[in-house]
Amino acid sequence: MSTNLKYLSLGILVFQTTSLVLTMRYSRTLKEEGPRYLSSTAVVVAEFLKIMACILLVYKDSKCNLRALNRVLHDEILNKPMETLKLAIPSGIYTLQNNLLYVALSNLDAATYQVTYQLKILTTALFSVSMLSKKLGVYQWLSLVILMTGVAFVQWPSDSQSTATKELSAGSQFVGLIAVLIACFSSGFAGVYFEKILKETKQSVWIRNIQLGFFGSIFGLMGVYIYDGELLSKNGFFQGYNKLTWIVVVLQRLFLWGHSCDSSYIPIWL
């Protein structure tokens, strides 16, 4: 991959990540008449979109032949149940992570969330060293220390905030912080675990993403009915959906590498 293409990919990723955070935060805090959309259903819809898009890409790789597509899906997924089951672990973790990100953005401002979530770079590095035996240079460790320092400064309480405001928002900010920290650890572990699976097998990344999406949809639907079953029965699956909601969902799956090429790797391995 050329250097220009790498930087172009990085620029697009930065734009996509930033726009996703801002739109997610806006969609979770926007006050409208009627029920607000359920974040758990948005996660499930995003997984279905990923499956559909990856199937289209496999179809394209199969020279747009339906029989070839059916044979590939049958041979690579149905005939290899143990290989498919390996994706259940990272898929479940990613589903948890995606739901936690909605919780975090509902309780933190976009800037604090974005900076704190970059701790996933640190967790990815640590899991890569421990699980993949990768070695980091002095400058890479120094970069991680600087990252941790920056996140600590962002979380440092500001004197400009009034005591009343702090008391009112302390609970929700704590919930948001815990949610984003758990998401950082889950992102790091699942990303490295998925990378390890990709290196140990010869299946394409699109097939692996279909497997991830399959389990992600199952886990996501379980979450919908367990935590939002009552609201679902009252107002339906797509309650509160509008144009902004669909923009958020599409942005989540705009880049299909998504989890398989987690953005955590870029600053360290580029």
Side-chain angles (χ1 to χ4, degrees):
M1 183 182 294
S2 66
T3 303
N4 291 335
L5 184 57
K6 286 183 178 180
Y7 284 112
L8 176 61
S9 300
L10 178 59
I12 295 174
L13 182 61
V14 169
F15 172 78
Q16 183 259 349
T17 304
T18 305
S19 58
L20 174 60
V21 170
L22 293 175
T23 52
M24 281 180 69
R25 170 65 180 171
Y26 183 65
S27 69
R28 298 307 294 169
T29 57
L30 180 65
K31 294 182 179 180
E32 288 186 334
E33 295 182 0
R36 178 182 296 174
Y37 77 93
L38 302 176
S39 59
S40 57
T41 63
V43 171
V44 173
V45 173
E47 292 297 329
F48 277 117
L49 288 179
K50 179 171 73 173
I51 293 174
M52 292 171 59
C54 288
I55 289 176
L56 287 176
L57 288 169
V58 175
Y59 176 69
K60 182 174 179 279
D61 290 341
S62 303
K63 299 180 181 180
C64 300
N65 188 304
L66 286 176
R67 289 186 178 180
L69 171 65
N70 182 63
R71 184 170 60 253
V72 169
L73 295 178
H74 189 273
D75 293 342
E76 296 296 330
I77 299 178
L78 296 180
N79 286 350
K80 297 179 180 179
M82 297 308 299
E83 289 295 322
T84 301
L85 282 174
K86 288 181 180 179
L87 274 298
I89 295 175
S91 180
I93 296 174
Y94 278 134
T95 304
L96 171 65
Q97 172 195 331
N98 289 333
N99 281 283
L100 286 173
L101 294 184
Y102 278 100
V103 174
L105 275 170
S106 298
N107 295 280
L108 295 174
D109 62 89
T112 302
Y113 162 84
Q114 184 73 318
V115 175
T116 307
Y117 190 47
Q118 297 315 305
L119 279 176
K120 66 180 180 176
I121 299 173
L122 173 64
T123 59
T124 301
L126 295 176
F127 282 119
S128 296
V129 171
S130 60
M131 295 174 62
L132 300 177
S133 300
K134 288 188 176 181
K135 295 183 179 180
L136 301 183
V138 176
Y139 289 111
Q140 291 169 325
W141 283 115
L142 180 61
S143 299
L144 293 174
V145 172
I146 295 173
L147 171 66
M148 290 179 62
T149 305
V151 173
F153 276 121
V154 168
Q155 296 299 333
W156 196 269
S158 173
D159 294 335
S160 61
Q161 290 180 313
S162 66
T163 305
T165 303
K166 288 182 182 179
E167 291 177 353
L168 287 173
S169 61
S172 61
Q173 287 183 347
F174 179 76
V175 171
L177 179 60
I178 294 299
V180 76
L181 288 177
I182 296 175
C184 287
F185 278 94
S186 63
S187 174
F189 175 78
V192 174
Y193 184 90
F194 187 50
E195 181 184 359
K196 186 176 182 180
I197 291 177
L198 287 176
K199 289 183 176 180
E200 292 176 349
T201 60
K202 297 181 179 180
Q203 287 181 311
S204 73
V205 69
W206 308 128
I207 293 294
R208 286 306 194 184
N209 269 287
I210 292 173
Q211 294 168 326
L212 273 179
F214 171 74
F215 287 112
S217 300
I218 294 175
F219 291 132
L221 286 171
M222 289 172 60
V224 170
Y225 285 101
I226 291 174
Y227 295 105
D228 296 316
E230 186 176 347
L231 292 173
L232 195 69
S233 61
K234 287 182 180 179
N235 301 306
F237 190 89
F238 292 103
Q239 60 180 282
Y241 273 61
N242 52 32
K243 292 181 180 179
L244 181 61
T245 309
W246 286 107
I247 291 174
V248 171
V249 172
V250 171
L251 280 174
Q252 279 188 301
R253 292 298 169 228
L254 183 59
F255 295 94
L256 296 177
W257 285 91
H259 302 318
S260 58
C261 289
D262 194 280
S263 57
S264 305
Y265 293 106
I266 291 178
I268 298 176
W269 314 121
L270 186 62

